[in-house]
Amino acid sequence: MRTVAEHQAVVASLFDAPRPVRLPVSEALGLATLADVEAPLSLPGFDNSGMDGFAVVATDLASATPENPVTLPVAEDIPAGRTDALTLRPGTTHRIMTGAPLPAGADAVVPVELTDATAGSGAAAAQVTFTAPVEVGKHIRRAGSDIAAGTRALPAGAVIGAPQIGLLAALGIAEVTVGERLRVVVLSTGSELVEPGKPLRHGQIYESNGVMLTAAATEAGASARHVHFVPDDTAGFLARLDEVAGAADLIITSGGVSAGAFEVVKEALSATGAVEFVKVAMQPGMPQGCGHYRDVPIITLPGNPVSALVSFEMFVRPALRAAMGLDPDRRRVTARLGSDIRSPRGKRQFLRGVLRSTDSPAGVVVDPIGPPASHHLRYLAEADALIDVPADVDGLPAGSPVDVLVLR
């Protein structure tokens, strides 16, 4: 019987290193850069105004007070987007909008609210009055003050989200090299399965694992699709695998891997010799399988829904994300148990839990919820954490520190 860590290593070995792909920035959402991205230009690209107001030479306003204001003629009107190069002569001012290029010779901007000018988009007045001095550099955004050309804009391993897309676009970068998004096909098996929305007959259940695992793979960053489940028929199962293998980087199945009769996945893939079926010392999720089908990695998960999703979290998600250059690990925290727990000695147990913060010295507390049986999907839906109980522990009292995998 394998340990969890041993099976994690075997699953990880199925995948190659992340494959670099050049994508339009807008299509790289959720993927990770594989190398540093250098800024091709500075931001801002030129000195510009941080306020709607008036560009001035600060010494012209050195003596300004409410009792003795300084009035200057408005020589130019500079909206954002004006492209000609202007020079401010001492003893004059330019009306300037936020983001507009600062004229040469100006060393400060006075907000319109601190003058007698009227705010708005109308024509500039012939002159404007100032009642206070201004510091050199006030309300000026200097070229390169955000990022300088030639410096690192994004480090290798940065996940492309909305802020990163905004930065790349502002730098004029249209494409970025990221780890390729892997294509995942999820296939469920079982003659008892019925598509949601259709009537059930006695002994049938609605198929949930396929859509659940497809969602989990999508959340992990992959491009995942759910292939309609097949009945417990070896030939039909292999035929369906043949259909999908050519357009997949990973195949995930659920069900049909235990020791009983009609275990179609185990029967079909054992004959190929390229898939290994083992027991892992964990609860839930002891029966596992992995290998290759037509050179495509295939991971076979147990059929009970809790077992399937916990197995995905332990084995599939880390390896899948690492193969796309993404951080493979969920966040882990140490929390105090909210109640006593029992655990089967010799198996590493993953209990569903709900995290909560307290004002007590205990700090973060995790409350176990639901029985440990692997068919209780309701409690998995309520959980935001998995309590990781070591294999050599058969019980822990309330208040004990435990390692917790944060799911949300």
Side-chain angles (χ1 to χ4, degrees):
M1 188 176 291
R2 279 183 185 157
T3 66
V4 170
E6 288 169 344
H7 194 61
Q8 285 174 328
V10 172
V11 171
S13 71
L14 300 176
F15 295 87
D16 297 324
R19 299 192 297 258
V21 60
R22 191 83 174 163
L23 291 177
V25 168
S26 60
E27 295 178 16
L29 184 66
L31 298 176
T33 57
L34 296 185
D36 290 353
V37 178
E38 184 178 289
L41 50 81
S42 295
L43 291 179
F46 48 85
D47 292 350
N48 68 84
S49 176
M51 299 287 288
D52 291 341
F54 293 87
V56 297
V57 177
T59 54
D60 285 342
L61 306 185
S63 63
T65 66
E67 295 77 21
N68 295 290
V70 172
T71 299
L72 298 175
V74 179
E76 292 283 352
D77 208 7
I78 313 176
R82 186 165 175 175
T83 59
D84 54 333
L86 298 174
T87 298
L88 176 68
R89 299 192 313 274
T92 67
T93 184
H94 292 179
R95 188 171 75 156
I96 191 167
M97 302 299 111
T98 303
L102 194 72
D107 59 10
V109 172
V110 178
V112 65
E113 297 87 352
L114 301 183
T115 72
D116 68 344
T118 302
S121 58
Q127 60 184 29
V128 64
T129 298
F130 303 88
T131 58
V134 63
E135 296 176 18
V136 171
K138 193 70 171 178
H139 301 304
I140 293 176
R141 300 167 176 168
R142 294 297 181 187
S145 58
D146 186 3
I147 187 170
T151 61
R152 189 176 70 178
L154 293 177
V159 178
I160 304 297
Q164 290 73 29
I165 288 176
L167 174 60
L168 294 172
L171 288 168
I173 297 174
E175 294 183 338
V176 63
T177 300
V178 291
E180 186 175 21
R181 195 185 306 276
L182 297 190
R183 303 163 300 168
V184 176
V185 172
V186 179
L187 178 62
S188 301
T189 64
S191 298
E192 76 280 12
L193 302 179
V194 175
E195 184 179 356
K198 295 184 177 180
L200 288 176
R201 299 173 61 184
H202 180 69
Q204 294 181 325
I205 61 173
Y206 286 120
E207 200 285 327
S208 59
N209 282 4
V211 290
M212 177 177 67
L213 293 171
T214 301
T218 301
E219 287 181 343
S223 174
R225 65 186 180 100
H226 179 212
V227 175
H228 189 70
F229 43 89
V230 297
D232 291 324
D233 173 73
T234 300
F237 172 69
L238 290 175
R240 188 57 58 86
L241 285 183
D242 288 337
E243 290 175 9
V244 303
D249 300 304
L250 169 66
I251 299 170
I252 302 173
T253 70
S254 66
V257 297
S258 297
F262 306 109
E263 302 295 341
V264 61
V265 174
K266 192 172 185 179
E267 291 175 10
L269 294 178
S270 293
T272 69
V275 178
E276 182 182 20
F277 294 90
V278 298
K279 292 182 178 180
V280 178
M282 64 184 286
Q283 187 187 63
M286 184 172 68
Q288 300 287 336
C290 66
H292 289 85
Y293 185 80
R294 299 194 181 281
D295 296 325
V296 178
I298 184 168
I299 300 173
T300 65
L301 303 178
N304 278 315
V306 178
S307 297
L309 194 57
V310 170
S311 298
F312 181 92
E313 284 290 336
M314 291 301 106
F315 306 122
V316 185
R317 187 180 187 276
L320 179 62
R321 286 180 60 83
M324 295 187 289
L326 297 166
D327 182 358
D329 298 321
R330 291 276 197 187
R331 186 167 66 94
R332 285 182 176 265
V333 299
T334 299
R336 300 281 178 175
L337 282 172
S339 60
D340 299 348
I341 61 169
R342 303 295 301 171
S343 187
R345 184 175 288 274
K347 290 184 178 180
R348 187 172 166 184
Q349 184 170 210
F350 298 94
L351 294 172
R352 285 143 282 181
V354 175
L355 289 164
R356 58 184 170 92
S357 297
T358 68
D359 294 329
S360 70
V364 178
V365 172
V366 61
D367 295 309
I369 58 168
S374 57
H375 66 285
H376 290 289
L377 191 55
R378 165 197 167 186
Y379 296 106
L380 185 61
E382 293 181 14
D384 61 8
L386 291 176
I387 305 168
D388 190 347
V389 185
D392 59 354
V393 171
D394 57 12
L396 291 169
S400 299
V402 286
D403 187 29
V404 175
L405 189 75
V406 181
L407 299 179
R408 295 197 294 273

